């Protein structure tokens, strides 16, 4: 008597283990999207319809590219392209022309991910690669920060500029970001910490409110969808190094200002923690995070740009394979720190 | 799943996973005796090592407890008739491990009283230690924790690696299974008596019984019945899979790590399962060899989950019938626990010495999930109890780079399934490793 006869159904034969955790890649990805919603909502609150348009254009670029070139598997449903689109949109200025945001999404997914073989194969964070491309291609547009708008529904710049035309004169007044102001401003004044926390300041769409990013990040860390070692090591490292340089009088940025300004929070909680492009071991994550922190501080203080989070993360992304190789787990039964010689064999 | 808080003060090992326990389905159900089936099928290979050599031929009358096959080498084991009857044939028969295996088929005599022949067994306290291990070998005793390693081999540790502590494994970390739990509750004196005999065979006097704290009643009863003249201690352990794995148990209790490729004896320890020691006690008490054990029949695909004393060789179909049959949504039958057990394709397979559980999982308990690409989240590395890098090894296995897997310590992998369990992309890591091990041994043989 076979199971089939007994059951009038199909018997399942699988390899052990026969039970699996409820965790799934798709669930991780979509809960990252979910945790970004407050930040997105805040960006719409601060920057009006421009935020919707810019984020929408970048998401559209990502999803379309994923759909067209992502292979046979319906890879949009895994949510990773959605995250890339959302993150890219959130690190662009409000007045950014939509076609550029769209191109950024196409580049991020196409050249940042699919060209390497799709999900899980890429070396660099696709959203950051998309932004780096935009930074190189449109350096003026990406550093044009809108000032306060008279009304919520006013566009914060020439969002509808046509491709390859120079953007029309911005209606709104442009204002420097807190970092740029303190570094290059004629009258350098540190933005109050409360404004940095709440996001009532100039900057990229989703980078302004450190508080909401922190909340989203902590939510993910508690759910186990984010490796907390990475953001913590980055923030500790930025705080420590900038503290030392501030104390030595080499830097105009106080450690707390460093922590809450610019793209650091978004970068530390959402970009650097991208599982695909970060190290696999906890030791590796600390090496990765501390290095990113140091690079951020160096670029911010001495670099030619006001902000360095993007390049710091991309640089360390490139080193992840080496970090992984150098931080392999200790072999069970061998003393800590001393890997058992591989040649030793039981006869 | 958020990481569970560690209970301070309770020893454990690093990493591991927390699968849903599902032990309350059967943990409160006392074991009952399954009716003797119409026939029993006794494979000659129910243990690690060489298959036993059949001593009977078709037509022979055998009584319950008679030897029907003898060990064919040092690492081998005796097989006994588990029910009185007539040998019908010796033929290839479906084996729970997958392939067809030579097996002795016995037609069970429906009119037999199923009593064994009186057998003379020396008193365990009066014979030399070597004779103890010989008696244990003749009784066909193998490790009942799952590996079925012949016990007498373990009782002779290498000369240069003396054992100073016997580790008795009552952790039962596999979800669903409660047979060891019931053994401790129902036969604590047998477990302790077995420990006593094994200690004498080893010539030592120290034993530690490791029990996960999800079995407080077992911890209590084992403490109450512990002998006072020996150094036998009960050690409560953190509930975590695979706490019952030899290396993990030793690490948790003694803090010592068994080096790669070495035996537990290299750190002075020897591990025996509680059900094994209970069966040792039975040999010297009534002369009954290893012919039956408590088996958990559980899962949401079976109508009446429970614990049963089942003679080996009973066919799966007889067990299922005795437990009320399948439910509507039964979907998979597993011999062993859900983490390391083996799927069964036939209802004709017999219950073996190492079968601690029979699970019938429903559709909702073993959902099929799509395999997605690895996203290098590192959860498998955090789960691996022997500190491997399953992520890297999985990638190597998929492109047949088996030698490189050996360099990454594939040999240390015990196929516990933690990596597969946690993988959010549902990559069948432990299956890949099992196949790689087979491929490697083929390459070596060629």
């Amino acid at each position: 008597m076979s199971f089939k006869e007994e059951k009038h159904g199909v018997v399942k034969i699988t390899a052990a283990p026969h039970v699996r955790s409820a965790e799934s890649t798709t669930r991780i990805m979509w809960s990252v999207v979910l945790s970004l919603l407050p930040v997105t909502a805040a960006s719409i609150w601060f920057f009006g319809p421009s935020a919707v348009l810019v984020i929408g254009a970048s998401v559209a670029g990502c999803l379309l590219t994923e759909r067209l070139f992502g292979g046979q598997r319906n890879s949009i449903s895994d949510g990773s392209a959605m995250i890339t689109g959302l993150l890219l949109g959130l690190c662009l200025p409000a007045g950014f022309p939509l076609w550029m945001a769209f191109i950024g999404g196409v580049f991020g997914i196409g050249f940042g991910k699919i060209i390497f073989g799709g999900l899980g194969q890429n070396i660099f964070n696709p959203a950051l690669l998309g932004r780096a491309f935009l930074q190189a291609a449109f350096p003026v547009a990406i550093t044009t920060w809108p000032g306060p708008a008279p009304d919520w529904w006013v566009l914060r710049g020439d969002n509808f500029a046509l491709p390859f035309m120079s953007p029309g004169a911005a209606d709104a007044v442009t204002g420097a970001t807190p970092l740029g102001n303190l570094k290059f401003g004629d009258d350098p004044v540190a933005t109050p910490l409360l404004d940095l926390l709440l996001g009532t300041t100039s900057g990229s769409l989703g980078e302004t409110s450190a508080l909401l990013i922190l909340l989203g990040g902590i939510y993910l860390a508690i759910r186990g969808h984010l490796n907390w070692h990475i953001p913590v090591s980055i923030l500790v490292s930025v705080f420590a190094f900038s503290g030392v340089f501030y104390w030595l009088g080499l830097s105009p940025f106080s450690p707390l200002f460093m922590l809450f300004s610019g793209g650091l929070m978004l970068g530390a909680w959402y970009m650097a923690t991208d599982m695909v492009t970060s190290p696999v071991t906890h030791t590796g994550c600390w090496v990765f995070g501390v290095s990113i922190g140091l690079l951020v501080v160096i670029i911010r203080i001495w670099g030619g740009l006001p902000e360095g989070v993007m390049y710091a993360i991309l640089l360390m992304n490139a080193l992840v394979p080496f970090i992984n190789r150098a931080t392999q787990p200790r072999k069970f039964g061998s003393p800590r720190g001393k890997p058992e010689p591989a040649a030793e064999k039981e006869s | 799943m958020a990481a569970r808080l560690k209970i301070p003060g309770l020893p454990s090992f690093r990493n591991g996973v927390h699968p849903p326990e599902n032990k309350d389905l059967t943990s409160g159900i006392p074991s009952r005796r399954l009716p003797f089936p119409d026939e029993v099928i006794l494979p000659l290979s129910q243990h690690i090592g060489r298959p036993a050599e059949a001593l009977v031929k078709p037509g022979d009358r055998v009584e319950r407890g008679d030897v029907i096959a003898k060990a064919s080498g040092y690492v081998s084991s005796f097989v006994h008739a588990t029910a009185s009857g007539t040998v019908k044939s010796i033929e290839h028969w479906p084996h729970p491990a997958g392939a067809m295996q030579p097996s002795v088929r016995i037609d069970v005599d429906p009119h037999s009283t199923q009593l064994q022949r009186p057998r003379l067994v020396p008193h365990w306290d009066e014979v030399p230690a070597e004779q103890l291990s010989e008696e244990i070998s003749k009784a066909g005793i193998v490790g009942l924790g799952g590996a079925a390693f012949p016990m007498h081999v373990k009782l002779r540790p290498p000369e240069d690696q003396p054992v100073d502590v016997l580790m008795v494994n009552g952790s039962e970390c596999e979800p669903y299974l409660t047979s060891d739990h019931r053994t401790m509750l129902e036969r604590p004196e047998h477990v302790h008596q077995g420990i006593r005999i094994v200690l004498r065979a080893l010539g030592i006097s120290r034993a530690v019984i490791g029990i996960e704290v999800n079995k407080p009643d077992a911890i209590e009863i084992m403490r109450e019945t512990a002998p006072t003249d020996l150094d036998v201690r009960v050690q409560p352990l953190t509930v975590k899979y695979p706490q019952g794995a030899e290396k993990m148990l030793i690490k948790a209790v003694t803090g010592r790590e068994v080096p790669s490729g070495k035996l537990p004896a290299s750190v002075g320890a020897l591990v025996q399962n509680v059900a094994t020691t209970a069966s040792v006690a039975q040999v010297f008490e009534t002369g009954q060899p290893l012919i039956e054990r408590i088996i958990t029949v559980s899962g949401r695909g079976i109508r009446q989950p429970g614990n049963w004393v089942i003679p080996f060789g009973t066919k799966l179909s007889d067990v299922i019938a005795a437990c009320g049959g399948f439910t509507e949504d039964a979907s998979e039958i597993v011999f062993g626990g859900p983490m390391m057990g083996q799927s069964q394709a036939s209802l004709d397979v017999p219950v073996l010495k190492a079968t601690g559980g029979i699970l019938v999982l429903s559709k909702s308990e073993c959902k099929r999930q799509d395999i997605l690409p690895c996203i290098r989240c590192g959860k498998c590395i955090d789960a691996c109890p022997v500190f491997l890098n399953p992520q890297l090894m999985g990638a190597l296995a998929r492109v047949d780079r088996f030698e490189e897997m050996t360099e990454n310590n594939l040999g240390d992998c015990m196929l516990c399934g933690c990596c597969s369990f946690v993988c959010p992309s549902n990559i069948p890591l432990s299956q890949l490793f099992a196949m790689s091990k087979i491929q490697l041994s083929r390459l070596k043989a060629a």
Side-chain angles (χ1 to χ4, degrees):
Chain A
M1 177 176 58
S2 74
F3 191 28
K4 199 167 173 177
E5 288 157 22
E6 165 82 12
K7 280 286 298 148
H8 308 288
V10 181
V11 58
K12 201 177 122 169
I13 310 284
T14 61
H18 308 282
V19 290
R20 296 295 184 97
S21 68
E23 194 73 278
S24 81
T25 297
T26 311
R27 223 163 96 168
I28 294 177
M29 296 291 180
W30 285 107
S31 60
V32 172
V33 172
L34 185 75
S35 76
L36 277 170
L37 289 185
V39 183
T40 312
S43 76
I44 295 169
W45 170 259
F46 291 132
F47 297 102
S50 283
V52 182
L53 290 171
V54 171
I55 294 172
S58 127
V59 167
C62 288
L63 294 186
L64 196 71
T65 316
E66 183 78 50
R67 186 79 202 90
L68 288 179
F69 304 107
Q72 291 176 335
R73 184 170 64 85
N74 181 12
S75 50
I76 286 186
S77 61
D78 67 33
S80 65
M82 186 71 194
I83 297 181
T84 303
L86 212 49
L87 283 176
L88 176 63
L90 286 173
C91 60
L92 295 174
F96 203 63
L98 298 186
W99 72 273
M100 294 182 187
F102 183 84
I103 294 287
V106 171
F107 188 89
I109 290 291
F111 289 83
K113 188 167 97 174
I114 287 173
I115 210 165
F116 290 101
L119 179 65
Q121 304 297 322
N122 47 305
I123 297 168
F124 300 103
N125 181 315
L128 282 183
L129 208 67
R131 192 181 191 279
F133 168 76
L134 293 176
Q135 176 107 44
F138 313 109
V140 176
I142 208 163
T143 48
T144 304
W145 311 102
D151 279 304
W152 180 82
W153 58 82
V154 174
L155 287 186
R156 304 306 202 269
D158 197 358
N159 287 129
F160 292 104
L162 289 173
F164 311 114
M165 308 280 283
S166 47
D171 293 335
V173 194
T174 59
T177 60
L179 273 171
N181 183 24
L182 198 54
K183 188 166 182 179
F184 302 123
D186 304 325
D187 179 23
V189 178
T191 314
L193 217 53
L194 188 68
D195 284 338
L196 292 176
L197 266 175
L198 296 179
T200 50
T201 160
S202 172
S204 300
L205 288 171
E207 292 179 353
T208 54
S209 173
L211 200 64
L212 288 177
I213 297 170
L214 210 58
L215 280 179
I218 290 171
Y219 161 78
L220 287 181
I222 290 173
R223 290 283 306 269
H225 294 164
L226 170 154
N227 188 342
W228 59 268
H229 296 269
I230 296 174
V232 168
S233 59
I234 292 178
L235 297 179
V236 165
S237 151
V238 165
F239 189 83
F241 286 117
S242 65
V244 168
F245 294 130
Y246 185 67
W247 180 66
L248 289 173
L250 296 172
S251 134
F253 311 108
S254 77
L256 276 179
F257 181 85
M258 271 287 202
L259 278 190
F260 295 109
S261 61
L264 184 64
M265 279 294 165
L266 196 68
W269 288 96
Y270 285 95
M271 310 282 200
T273 53
D274 175 7
M275 291 169 170
V276 177
T277 57
S278 60
V280 288
T281 61
H282 291 316
T283 326
C285 286
W286 277 89
V287 173
F288 181 72
V290 169
S291 311
I292 288 177
L294 180 63
L295 282 173
V296 167
V297 172
I298 289 174
I299 297 175
R300 278 187 180 180
I301 298 176
W302 291 291
L305 294 164
E307 179 57 300
V309 173
M310 176 177 81
Y311 289 119
I313 297 177
L314 285 175
L315 262 170
M316 290 314 295
N317 279 166
L319 295 182
V320 162
F322 300 98
I323 298 178
N324 278 343
R325 201 176 299 170
T327 58
Q328 284 295 300
R330 166 181 73 94
K331 186 173 176 176
F332 187 88
S334 69
R336 190 173 292 271
K338 271 185 254 166
E340 192 115 320
E344 194 189 325
K345 266 178 197 152
E346 180 91 320
S347 54
Chain B
M1 185 175 61
R4 264 191 225 186
L5 291 177
K6 208 181 150 225
I7 304 167
L10 276 183
S12 193
F13 59 98
R14 256 181 65 199
N15 301 349
V17 296
H18 294 281
E21 289 172 31
N22 284 309
K23 288 190 188 269
D24 44 359
L25 283 172
T26 54
S27 59
I29 305 176
S31 67
R32 281 185 291 160
R33 182 167 285 282
L34 202 79
F36 278 89
D38 295 338
E39 70 168 346
V40 288
I41 317 288
L42 295 161
L44 297 174
S45 181
Q46 301 190 34
H47 48 265
I48 287 183
R50 293 169 62 103
E53 211 174 289
L55 298 175
V56 290
K57 54 185 192 304
D60 285 357
R61 166 81 194 185
V62 290
E63 295 299 326
R64 182 166 148 88
D66 286 359
V67 176
I68 56 165
K70 67 170 174 126
S72 61
Y74 185 51
V75 185
S76 183
S77 184
F78 282 75
V79 177
H80 301 78
T82 57
S84 306
T86 317
V87 176
K88 191 197 265 173
S89 62
I90 299 173
E91 60 178 300
H92 279 72
W93 193 266
H95 188 280
M100 306 282 275
Q101 295 277 354
S103 313
V104 178
R105 281 179 80 178
I106 298 174
D107 262 331
V108 177
D109 178 359
H111 306 296
S112 166
T113 53
Q114 298 296 352
L115 292 176
Q116 54 175 340
R117 286 185 224 267
R119 195 159 85 88
L120 201 62
V121 186
H123 194 274
W124 65 272
D125 213 3
E126 292 164 1
V127 293
E130 294 79 56
Q131 202 182 334
L132 282 181
S133 89
E134 199 174 307
E135 286 297 331
I136 286 171
S137 156
K138 272 193 210 152
I141 293 186
V142 300
L144 298 183
F149 193 75
M151 186 174 182
H152 62 277
V153 183
K154 269 184 157 187
L155 291 179
R156 295 261 178 82
E159 294 284 322
D160 55 332
Q161 294 172 348
V163 166
D164 60 20
V165 59
L166 170 68
M167 212 85 61
V168 187
N169 196 351
S171 41
E172 199 163 48
C173 58
E174 274 272 13
Y176 292 93
L177 303 191
T178 56
S179 57
D180 290 349
H181 187 184
R182 291 314 306 181
T183 304
M184 288 187 282
L185 288 185
E186 296 169 17
R187 302 169 58 194
E189 70 290 345
H190 276 154
V191 175
H192 278 303
Q193 180 69 4
I195 293 173
R196 206 175 260 280
I197 296 168
V198 175
L199 284 178
R200 179 165 149 71
L202 290 168
I204 58 172
S205 64
R206 195 155 84 88
V208 181
I209 307 171
I211 306 173
E212 285 190 350
V213 288
N214 58 359
K215 297 177 267 291
D217 44 355
I219 293 175
E220 196 181 330
I221 202 160
M222 292 310 288
R223 274 194 174 142
E224 279 170 8
T225 52
T228 46
D229 56 327
L230 287 171
D231 180 13
V232 177
R233 188 166 62 88
V234 175
Q235 175 63 61
L237 299 168
T238 309
V239 182
K240 187 159 76 167
Y241 179 86
Q243 182 65 74
E246 267 189 353
K247 286 184 175 185
M248 306 303 107
L249 184 73
I250 294 171
K251 166 78 181 159
V253 175
T254 67
R256 304 176 203 163
E257 285 183 4
V258 179
S260 164
K262 299 273 171 67
L263 294 171
S266 67
V267 295
L270 184 123
V271 180
Q272 291 293 349
N273 177 275
V274 284
T276 319
T277 65
S279 65
V280 169
Q282 197 134 22
V283 172
F284 291 94
E285 188 178 291
T286 62
Q288 179 186 305
L290 185 59
I291 50 174
E292 61 186 19
R293 67 175 299 180
I294 300 180
I295 294 174
T296 302
V297 183
S298 188
R300 290 180 177 83
I302 191 96
R303 285 194 198 280
Q304 292 162 15
N307 295 292
W308 299 87
V309 177
I310 303 180
F312 303 132
T314 304
K315 283 185 293 185
L316 178 56
S317 50
D318 292 327
V319 179
I320 299 290
C323 295
F326 297 115
T327 60
E328 285 306 307
D329 59 348
S331 131
E332 183 173 18
I333 306 178
V334 176
F335 267 26
M339 293 299 286
M340 288 186 78
Q342 194 146 20
S343 266
Q344 296 304 322
S346 162
L347 291 177
D348 291 331
V349 293
V351 166
L352 304 186
K353 290 177 181 177
T355 309
I358 298 171
L359 303 181
V360 185
L361 299 173
S362 67
K363 281 199 186 80
S364 60
E365 285 173 300
C366 53
K367 283 194 201 106
R368 206 192 90 83
Q369 286 156 328
D370 289 333
I371 297 175
L372 288 174
C374 171
I375 54 168
R376 286 180 258 168
C377 62
K379 285 180 194 291
C380 52
I381 297 174
D382 287 347
C384 181
V386 288
F387 311 156
L388 300 178
N389 184 342
Q391 181 259 332
L392 176 65
M393 293 211 300
L396 290 174
R398 285 183 155 194
V399 289
D400 294 356
R401 284 157 70 176
F402 303 120
E403 278 88 357
E404 279 167 79
M405 294 177 71
T406 316
E407 288 160 25
N408 284 286
N409 306 324
L410 174 65
D412 283 0
C413 174
M414 51 191 185
L415 303 174
C416 66
C418 288
C419 48
S420 297
F421 178 80
V422 293
C423 181
S425 288
N426 298 307
I427 299 168
L429 291 163
S430 55
Q431 183 183 7
L432 285 170
F433 302 155
M435 294 196 305
S436 306
K437 280 173 181 246
I438 295 169
Q439 289 291 344
L440 271 171
S441 62
R442 276 188 196 154
L443 285 175
K444 252 182 216 159

